[in-house]
Amino acid sequence: TVYLRAFHGRYIDVEGSRVRARYGDRGQWQQFLLCPYMGPGSAMPSAGFAASSSSSSSSGPVSPAPGAEEQSAATRASFEGRAIRDGDVICLLGHTGRFLGMTGRQVTADYATATD
């Protein structure tokens, strides 16, 4: 799990598909799972980790993606123990079970799978 802080000191958060930097504290909405990119043909599971996250947040209720609890274990098992090295391409998985990506010039959390 990683937290990303913007230049003004607030942490990047995901609410629905919107990605913003609104809060100075780290909570569940500000958590991202750092995943290695396995390539366009790989079967990278799309799973939220909110259902099994042990941290709590006062940011509000979280609705994990359908089947997130079962897929969350598969996601952790897929990446557990794999080192991310300099030059590796990574994906950021938000607590909603969606990957971050670009839509035009806007960062969104609309992606169910990590594609290029």
Side-chain angles (χ1 to χ4, degrees):
T1 302
V2 296
Y3 298 89
L4 304 173
R5 189 168 32 197
F7 69 95
H8 49 63
R10 296 183 194 128
Y11 290 92
I12 307 294
D13 66 272
V14 175
E15 182 179 10
S17 64
R18 294 190 70 184
V19 178
R20 297 175 280 187
R22 301 179 289 173
Y23 306 109
D25 59 335
R26 296 181 302 184
Q28 191 166 6
W29 286 15
Q30 289 78 29
Q31 291 180 354
F32 294 94
L33 185 62
L34 192 69
C35 306
Y37 179 63
M38 307 300 267
S42 68
M44 177 182 257
S46 60
F49 55 94
S52 62
S53 177
S54 60
S55 76
S56 62
S57 172
S58 59
S59 298
V62 174
S63 299
E69 193 167 337
E70 296 81 18
Q71 292 178 347
S72 179
T75 300
R76 281 193 307 278
S78 297
F79 306 120
E80 204 167 281
R82 185 187 184 294
I84 296 174
R85 296 187 173 89
D86 183 31
D88 282 355
V89 177
I90 57 132
C91 302
L92 294 171
L93 182 65
H95 72 95
T96 57
R98 298 295 204 175
F99 288 96
L100 270 61
M102 297 293 294
T103 303
R105 295 184 66 185
Q106 190 75 23
V107 177
T108 62
D110 276 343
Y111 300 91
T113 59
T115 60
D116 48 7

